[in-house]
Amino acid sequence: MISYARQTQEEQPEAPTPVEEHIAPAPRVSVQAFCETVETAAAVQSAGEDRRLGKAHLKIQMGGMAAAIEAYRSAPTPNVIVLESDGRNDLLTGLDHLATVCDAGTRVVVIGRINDVMLYRELVRRGVSDYVLAPVGAIDVVRSICNLFSAPEAKAVGRIIAVVGAKGGVGASTISHNVAWAIARDLAMDAVVADLDLAFGTAGLDYNQDPPQGIADAVFSPDRVDTAFIDRLLSKCTDHLSLLAAPATLDRVYDFGTDAFDAVFDTLRSTMPCIVLDIPHQWSGWTKRALIGADDILIVAAPDLANLRNTKNLFDLLKASRPNDRPPLYCLNQVGVPKRPEIAAAEFAKAIESQPVVSIPFEPQIFGSAANNGQMIAEISANHKSIEMFLQIAQRLTGRSETKKQKSSLLSPLIEKLRGK
């Protein structure tokens, strides 16, 4: 039926912690599940509502293996079949029968109640892609289906990080650009910043780039969007960081449909390990879709009442819309403005029921200089304390805890002198 895409139980590495687990979304595939219990059917139904299976077409039937064999006697099989079975011999016999009616390329996931490595090996020998131990939850089903398309031999799927301000003027764009810089420079991940504020975006200014083309060319020409087209629109900032700039002009009105950016995001996922979305402070169908569809979210807030209310509203919405994801992260910015009454970080955390990742102090001199010079904070002051905060945010969002450092050798000083000449 299919080729084996998972390691055996003895060889599997330790699973990542739930907080930092990254499950890449599945592509547009058809999935049909044949369940034996209402509990499993409910878990599969809930999984189908998860954002990562948003493009998959899911159909659920009762009857287990027997129903699957009968269904495919006269109908083509989907991309993925999910089978629930509570027996051993019946399962193996049923799989042999299913193989006679199953189309080449179809992947099979089995949900069973027997925890036996010998059974697991036998299932693998018969071409089963994954065996999930019952009882299952929605996230188990999501993980199993999505991992079929992000296995080591499959094409990598990039991680989308969305950064949004709880209120206008809180410095969300500045934070997103500096965090992306940390991801690229300190974590050595290839990353791209997508400036979604097409009318007033500042990413081009902050990175000192003025590309003739950018994200608007892709959004207004969805039929042309592919890997080569997106590559031509990217502006290279550093070895690991690229920019998909906003035009920041007012010669047209930027009204978009809910799915206007889908093709751009899908293409970026296929080419870049990390995509940082600089989302403008506005509420529309496409901004909501971008937030809910992201792998990880950072909310930037200032320590006042309006920001607290908006952050709380965003948290509640995103937690309800993304029940199988970790809650969004947030940071406090512009903390300590002289003579301005502020809500303490502890009070903010109590209301949100979550601690901020970092609290970035109000330092207009260095942040203003960086903005006016088209530089990152790390370029202005290599040892500034905010640089470590940007790195902390980058590590939390990407799940990477160690900074990648270039190896040095005894010849490094000599090489640097030669380069200087």
Side-chain angles (χ1 to χ4, degrees):
M1 280 178 282
I2 56 110
S3 60
Y4 173 48
R6 294 280 294 265
Q7 293 173 303
T8 61
Q9 290 179 352
E10 303 101 301
E11 297 172 335
Q12 282 187 348
E14 292 185 2
T17 59
V19 172
E20 297 185 348
E21 182 181 21
H22 173 51
I23 302 174
R28 298 185 188 278
V29 292
S30 56
V31 182
Q32 293 185 11
F34 295 85
C35 305
E36 292 187 344
T37 63
V38 293
E39 292 80 9
T40 298
V44 175
Q45 180 66 42
S46 179
E49 298 168 0
D50 187 275
R51 64 174 180 85
R52 286 158 289 207
L53 293 181
K55 294 181 180 178
H57 178 71
L58 176 65
K59 182 179 179 181
I60 303 173
Q61 296 176 237
M62 303 303 292
M65 179 70 74
I69 295 172
E70 184 62 31
Y72 299 128
R73 289 187 190 278
S74 57
T77 51
N79 300 111
V80 181
I81 300 174
V82 179
L83 294 169
E84 182 183 15
S85 174
D86 57 5
R88 178 191 179 96
N89 295 329
D90 291 345
L91 171 59
L92 297 177
T93 302
L95 286 172
D96 290 339
H97 289 160
L98 184 63
T100 64
V101 297
C102 198
D103 298 334
T106 295
R107 306 183 182 209
V108 176
V109 174
V110 174
I111 299 174
R113 287 173 171 75
I114 301 174
N115 189 5
D116 181 9
V117 69
M118 297 305 294
L119 172 62
Y120 184 82
R121 287 174 174 168
E122 192 60 35
L123 293 176
V124 168
R125 193 178 70 82
R126 281 172 162 79
V128 169
S129 295
D130 196 13
Y131 181 69
V132 185
L133 205 59
V136 296
I139 191 63
D140 300 314
V141 179
V142 171
R143 182 187 299 110
S144 180
I145 295 174
C146 290
N147 283 352
L148 297 178
F149 303 96
S150 59
E153 67 272 15
K155 194 170 185 178
V157 179
R159 187 187 199 115
I160 288 185
I161 295 170
V163 182
V164 65
K167 189 171 176 284
V170 296
S173 290
T174 299
I175 301 301
S176 67
H177 303 162
N178 279 276
V179 168
W181 184 272
I183 291 172
R185 188 193 70 163
D186 299 322
L187 301 183
M189 289 181 67
D190 287 332
V192 59
V193 174
D195 191 346
L196 304 187
D197 190 352
L198 272 69
F200 304 105
T202 60
L205 296 175
D206 286 352
Y207 291 121
N208 196 24
Q209 299 285 327
D210 187 22
Q213 295 178 303
I215 194 166
D217 298 271
V219 176
F220 288 111
S221 304
D223 55 321
R224 298 177 58 196
V225 173
D226 58 20
T227 301
F229 183 61
I230 292 294
D231 283 345
R232 289 197 299 271
L233 302 181
L234 291 175
S235 175
K236 197 168 185 65
C237 301
T238 69
D239 288 343
H240 291 289
L241 183 63
S242 299
L243 170 64
L244 197 54
T249 58
L250 305 179
D251 54 349
R252 61 167 65 179
V253 176
Y254 303 104
D255 291 332
F256 302 120
T258 301
D259 57 355
F261 288 86
D262 284 8
V264 178
F265 296 162
D266 290 345
T267 305
L268 287 173
R269 275 190 188 275
S270 69
T271 58
M272 280 287 179
C274 185
I275 303 100
V276 179
L277 306 182
D278 181 3
I279 299 181
H281 180 73
Q282 66 180 67
W283 198 240
S284 62
W286 70 265
T287 54
K288 180 180 178 181
R289 184 178 178 89
L291 281 172
I292 292 175
D295 296 297
D296 288 284
I297 302 165
L298 175 69
I299 301 169
V300 180
D304 62 30
L305 186 60
N307 277 271
L308 176 56
R309 179 202 64 188
N310 295 352
T311 301
K312 176 65 173 172
N313 287 342
L314 283 169
F315 255 74
D316 292 344
L317 170 86
L318 292 170
K319 285 163 68 174
S321 303
R322 300 155 50 92
N324 302 314
D325 289 89
R326 68 172 176 179
L329 305 177
Y330 78 97
C331 71
L332 294 178
N333 191 33
Q334 302 173 353
V335 175
V337 175
K339 299 182 180 180
R340 181 182 71 174
E342 296 181 348
I343 297 176
E347 293 298 317
F348 214 97
K350 183 178 179 181
I352 303 298
E353 299 180 340
S354 176
Q355 294 290 334
V357 183
V358 295
S359 293
I360 303 172
F362 177 67
E363 296 190 61
Q365 183 66 40
I366 188 166
F367 278 85
S369 296
N372 288 337
N373 293 340
Q375 293 178 297
M376 297 293 101
I377 300 300
E379 296 178 289
I380 293 286
S381 177
N383 297 317
H384 194 266
K385 56 187 176 183
S386 66
I387 298 173
E388 182 62 32
M389 296 182 184
F390 296 139
L391 178 57
Q392 289 179 41
I393 296 173
Q395 290 170 334
R396 288 287 300 276
L397 288 170
T398 61
R400 294 197 175 190
S401 58
E402 294 183 0
T403 302
K404 305 290 185 182
K405 293 184 178 179
Q406 293 183 344
K407 295 181 179 180
S408 60
S409 67
L410 294 174
L411 297 177
S412 294
L414 177 60
I415 293 174
E416 289 300 321
K417 287 182 179 179
L418 292 174
R419 283 178 178 171
K421 293 180 180 180

